[in-house]
């Protein structure tokens, strides 16, 4: 089980540059991340927060410069989330920031 409530998602969002992509498992966590960006003084639209079901449509034709995946993503999304993870990796040509 991943650790929760220790600020890890906040640190992940802080590290992503404007225009980066952040993969989350569902819309509830997406809204939470938008709130975290506001708390950080950033526009919630500065990062493309995509859910597992929208990731593929959101990245067609886009060159992803930087991306990350919420630390609890696979715990919540399970196996259905693997395809979105793979698509973002292919669009970026590299793995998520947290795996560097």
């Amino acid at each position: 089980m991943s650790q929760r409530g220790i600020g890890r998602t906040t640190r992940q969002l802080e590290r992503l540059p404007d225009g980066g992509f952040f993969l989350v498992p569902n819309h509830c966590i997406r809204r939470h991340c938008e709130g975290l960006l506001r708390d950080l003084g950033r526009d919630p639209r500065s990062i493309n927060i995509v859910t597992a079901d929208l990731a593929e449509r959101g990245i067609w034709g886009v060159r992803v410069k930087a991306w990350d995946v919420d630390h609890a993503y696979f715990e919540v999304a399970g196996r259905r989330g693997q395809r979105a993870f793979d698509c973002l990796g292919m669009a970026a040509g590299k793995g998520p920031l947290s795996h560097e």
Side-chain angles (χ1 to χ4, degrees):
M1 181 170 264
S2 63
Q3 296 174 331
R4 296 183 184 255
I6 61 170
R8 187 167 175 188
T9 300
T10 301
R11 289 191 302 276
Q12 286 182 282
L13 291 169
E14 277 180 317
R15 190 170 176 214
L16 270 173
D18 287 352
F21 281 72
F22 194 62
L23 181 60
V24 298
N26 57 48
H27 293 286
C28 181
I29 295 175
R30 181 177 190 267
R31 286 189 298 275
H32 172 68
C33 290
E34 289 170 347
L36 291 174
L37 286 169
R38 282 187 199 93
D39 292 346
L40 291 168
R42 293 178 73 177
D43 185 328
R45 295 166 296 176
S46 65
I47 293 178
N48 300 293
I49 304 169
V50 293
T51 59
D53 57 338
L54 297 177
E56 290 180 62
R57 288 183 280 173
I59 64 168
W60 285 112
V62 175
R63 178 69 177 150
V64 176
K65 295 178 184 173
W67 73 287
D68 209 348
V69 58
D70 185 67
H71 64 95
Y73 177 75
F74 285 108
E75 183 180 321
V76 177
R79 293 186 65 182
R80 74 175 178 84
Q82 187 64 50
R83 184 172 168 132
F85 180 89
D86 291 343
C87 285
L88 273 167
M90 286 186 284
K94 59 186 175 185
L97 288 177
S98 58
H99 293 183
E100 291 181 353

